[in-house]
Amino acid sequence: MKVIITMAGAGSRFKEVGIQEEKYKLKVKERTMFDYAMESLRPFFGHTFIFIARKDDCTNKFISSHCERLGIESFETVEISQLTAGQADTAREAADYIDGGESILIYNVDTYIEEGYISQGIFKGDGCIPVFKTDGGSWSYVEIDESEEVTEVREKEPISNLASIGLYYFKNFDLFGEVLSESGDEVGAKYGEKYIAPLYNSLIKDGYSVRIHRVPESAVHILGTPSDVARFDPNFRDRHGL
C-alpha cells in the first residue's frame, strides 16, 4: 500500500484572514497541523508515504524533519509549481512512485482522527470511505444500503447523515486512475473542483464494491478553516490576532 498525502492547496481561507504561513506548518496546540494529520495514520507508518506539495524552499526540509520525528521512514516528496484542478488531480501526481496494482490511501493535512479508529484492517472492497455521523456541515455525503454498501456519494449535498472524514481507499492505483479519467471532468464541471469522493460513483456504476467504515464524531477533528482550528485550539485566535 502507498499513502498519498495531498498538501498542495492554496490555503485561501487562512490567507483571507491574514495567515500567510502554509496551512500544514501552522501550530495547533503546540504541534503542527501536519503532525496531527499524520498521527491519524500512525498504523500505516511502515508503508511508503508520498507527499504532494507546492514547490517551496523549505518544503523538503520540513517534511523530512517531521517524518523523522514521527517515525515515517519511507517517503517521497513531489513538488508541483502550480495549483491543480482539485485533490483528485493532485493525487495523480504520485503516479511515478506507485505501481498500478498497489492499493492506495489518499488523505489531506487538515483533519485529525484520534488514535484507535483507523487501522489497516478496516479497508475492504474495491473502495472504502471512512465516515462519521453529522447533522450538518459542508462535507462529502455517503448514502448506503442495508448491508452498508455505498450506493451514492454527493459533494456538499446532505443525502444522508454520514460524511467522509477525508480519507479515501482504492484497491489499486489503476482503479483510481480509471475513475478519474472517466468522471473527473464531470465532477470538476459540477462542483468547480475535482473532488475525490464523487469519483466513487463511477465505481458503483461499474459494479465495484464501495464500503464504509464508521468513526465516532467525537474522534474527528476537522481543521480546514481558521474557525475549525479555533474550536480545536481556543488559543489559536489570540496567537494570530483573529
Side-chain angles (χ1 to χ4, degrees), residues 1 13 31 43 50 120 172 188 204 207 226:
M1 177 182 284
R13 286 171 292 189
R31 301 190 71 183
I50 304 170
Q120 299 193 44
N172 59 67
I204 296 164

Side-chain angles (χ1 to χ4, degrees), residues 97-110:
Y97 300 90
I98 302 176
D99 181 275
E102 287 183 285
S103 59
I104 61 168
L105 289 180
I106 305 173
Y107 196 45
N108 53 49
V109 285
D110 57 17

Side-chain angles (χ1 to χ4, degrees), residues 136-148:
S138 184
W139 319 116
S140 304
Y141 294 91
V142 174
E143 190 169 66
I144 60 173
D145 63 18
E146 292 180 355
S147 67
E148 300 212 324

